[in-house]
Amino acid sequence: EPETYWRLYQSERDLLAFSYERCQGRATMALQLADKRGIVVVAKLARLIAARCAYKRNDLDAAVNFAAEAGGIVEEQLRHVTGDVPRRELGFEAFQIYRMMLAMQVEQDSSPAGIARAFRTSERARGRAHLDAVARSRVSAFAATMPISPALAEDKAEAEKRVRKLTKALFESRSRRTTVERHRNAIWALEDVKQAIVRQNPLLSRASIPRPASLRKVRKELLDEDTILLSFFMTHDKVFLFAIDRNQAHIEVLADSPEALGTMVSSFRKRYLMNPGAGMEAYKLAAQALHRRVLGGVAKRLSGKSKLVILPHGSLSALPFEALVDSKGSFLVEQHDIRYGLSATLSFERSNRRK
């Protein structure tokens, strides 16, 4: 076990020293030792370091494989935890891994099959928190039928009684400030008890996360001939845009960084959308410029499509795409019926639940 940690430490040191080949070799040794000894944390970290070093060496196949294995370890961990905090932490780890893996996949393979794999990875990343919430909601339907411990049941009853008492006092008390604070604390205490009851539910660890949507399924079930899907995804330094219709799939890396694009969106909202005094001519010029930056070369693919399904990400979630103006001077909403979503996977899940 000490040797395993020592190899991991050496690989991290090599990564910081830009010795990528040696880093990858030592990280590989560390993960092999960790796998033999069942040290899951080291096995996961060693694969992430190996992925980064392989990427720096332009060994994209190895980098993607290492990242995929690390993601698989996190997903396996998520199947066996029930607490809110551990699930959130592991979910964020999964998001970071898939975000890194997406950037690697886009560079690795730009063929239709490569785009399909990258899209599925983006769905894994962007929907990770939402999909975990879906899994929890599946369990919540059965929560009322599950027995809870007498101690928790008593705590819940007492907390509810205290909230009712303080709610009544809130309307009668003269010292409202003190009562408001006590009332807020009582509500939080009740919520803590409710969360403890949920965490006790044995079904939570067995809840299955919906499988990420595939490109094939999106084309078959989500799109028709008049619809195009625009799915954005931001990594720490790049913005990816998937443009998907029934016949083709295209991916583009936008010219601006996530930070720069966020600044543009914020400025556009403040100077034009939230400023009634902004002139229409100046507004249209700004909206056209933002249209070019946000849609890039994908804009020409919108021609002939009457419906847009937009999956924004990051700062683009604050942008009403209807307000953009195309190169001909028309508002986007004049040419297209626009719908929004969080992820294609979540759209399928909601559709299945309605059925």
Side-chain angles (χ1 to χ4, degrees):
E1 188 168 323
E3 183 183 358
T4 306
Y5 283 98
W6 174 244
R7 294 296 183 188
L8 180 67
Y9 167 74
Q10 286 182 315
S11 66
E12 289 180 298
R13 189 176 60 182
D14 291 334
L15 175 62
L16 295 174
F18 310 109
S19 301
Y20 300 125
E21 184 175 358
R22 188 166 57 183
C23 164
Q24 183 177 343
R26 285 175 167 170
T28 301
M29 292 178 64
L31 70 88
Q32 290 171 346
L33 289 169
D35 287 345
K36 288 180 180 180
R37 290 163 172 75
I39 311 173
V40 176
V41 174
V42 175
K44 178 173 59 181
L45 290 176
R47 281 173 167 84
L48 290 175
I49 293 172
R52 291 180 62 185
C53 293
Y55 178 71
K56 292 293 187 180
R57 297 180 58 234
N58 205 33
D59 187 357
L60 295 176
D61 290 342
V64 170
N65 288 337
F66 284 130
E69 289 175 4
I73 292 174
V74 176
E75 295 290 354
E76 184 63 27
Q77 288 179 297
L78 277 163
R79 294 189 187 99
H80 301 286
V81 297
T82 58
D84 287 341
V85 173
R87 288 188 75 89
R88 282 199 299 268
E89 290 177 348
L90 287 171
F92 185 64
E93 278 187 31
F95 167 77
Q96 291 180 306
I97 291 170
Y98 293 136
R99 184 176 68 170
M100 177 178 70
M101 185 173 159
L102 171 61
M104 295 173 179
Q105 286 177 320
V106 171
E107 289 190 38
Q108 178 193 30
D109 188 0
S110 59
S111 69
I115 293 175
R117 285 191 291 270
F119 176 76
R120 192 155 196 174
T121 299
S122 75
E123 279 293 306
R124 287 183 185 276
R126 68 181 297 127
R128 197 62 195 72
H130 306 305
L131 298 183
D132 193 55
V134 168
R136 292 174 64 82
S137 70
R138 289 176 174 176
V139 172
S140 65
F142 303 97
T145 65
M146 298 294 295
I148 62 175
S149 71
L152 282 176
E154 184 178 349
D155 289 344
K156 183 173 181 285
E158 289 182 0
E160 288 174 339
K161 181 179 179 181
R162 180 169 177 77
V163 168
R164 288 195 296 268
K165 180 179 178 181
L166 287 171
T167 301
K168 182 179 179 180
L170 195 60
F171 293 98
E172 301 174 351
S173 176
R174 295 180 180 177
S175 56
R176 287 182 60 85
R177 181 179 299 179
T178 303
T179 307
V180 166
E181 184 176 353
R182 291 169 60 200
H183 184 263
R184 183 175 61 247
N185 292 340
I187 291 176
W188 286 348
L190 175 59
E191 188 61 29
D192 287 343
V193 174
K194 289 180 178 179
Q195 289 298 318
I197 292 173
V198 171
R199 288 193 295 269
Q200 178 189 264
N201 191 335
L203 293 176
L204 185 58
S205 63
R206 299 175 63 184
S208 60
I209 299 295
R211 297 186 66 182
S214 66
L215 204 56
R216 189 178 196 179
K217 187 176 182 181
V218 167
R219 283 175 166 161
K220 182 179 179 181
E221 301 181 28
L222 199 62
L223 305 178
D224 56 34
E225 293 295 338
D226 296 324
T227 305
I228 184 169
L229 173 74
L230 301 180
S231 176
F232 294 86
F233 190 87
M234 294 184 175
T235 63
H236 71 285
D237 63 344
K238 294 178 182 176
V239 181
F240 298 99
L241 170 55
F242 294 87
I244 303 163
D245 62 22
R246 287 294 290 270
N247 303 309
Q248 292 183 320
H250 171 77
I251 185 170
E252 181 166 328
V253 182
L254 299 187
D256 298 293
S257 68
E259 183 179 358
L261 206 56
T263 300
M264 292 179 202
V265 170
S266 178
S267 176
F268 179 72
R269 285 175 54 87
K270 184 176 180 180
R271 295 181 62 182
Y272 299 103
L273 296 184
M274 302 176 68
N275 180 13
M280 182 55 68
E281 185 177 350
Y283 170 88
K284 282 200 166 186
L285 288 173
Q288 277 184 325
L290 191 56
H291 181 278
R292 290 192 297 270
R293 309 308 295 186
V294 170
L295 297 180
V298 167
K300 62 181 180 292
R301 297 176 180 270
L302 307 187
S303 178
K305 304 297 183 183
S306 61
K307 292 176 282 188
L308 300 183
V309 178
I310 298 176
L311 307 179
H313 190 232
S315 58
L316 292 177
S317 300
L319 175 65
F321 282 74
E322 295 87 344
L324 298 180
V325 175
D326 64 22
S327 58
K328 297 179 181 179
S330 299
F331 286 96
L332 211 58
V333 72
E334 293 181 285
Q335 305 295 326
H336 310 279
D337 176 24
I338 300 175
R339 292 186 292 120
Y340 296 90
L342 295 172
S343 73
T345 308
L346 192 59
S347 297
F348 286 127
E349 180 66 22
R350 292 176 64 185
S351 176
N352 292 336
R353 292 187 70 181
R354 283 195 296 268
K355 294 175 183 178

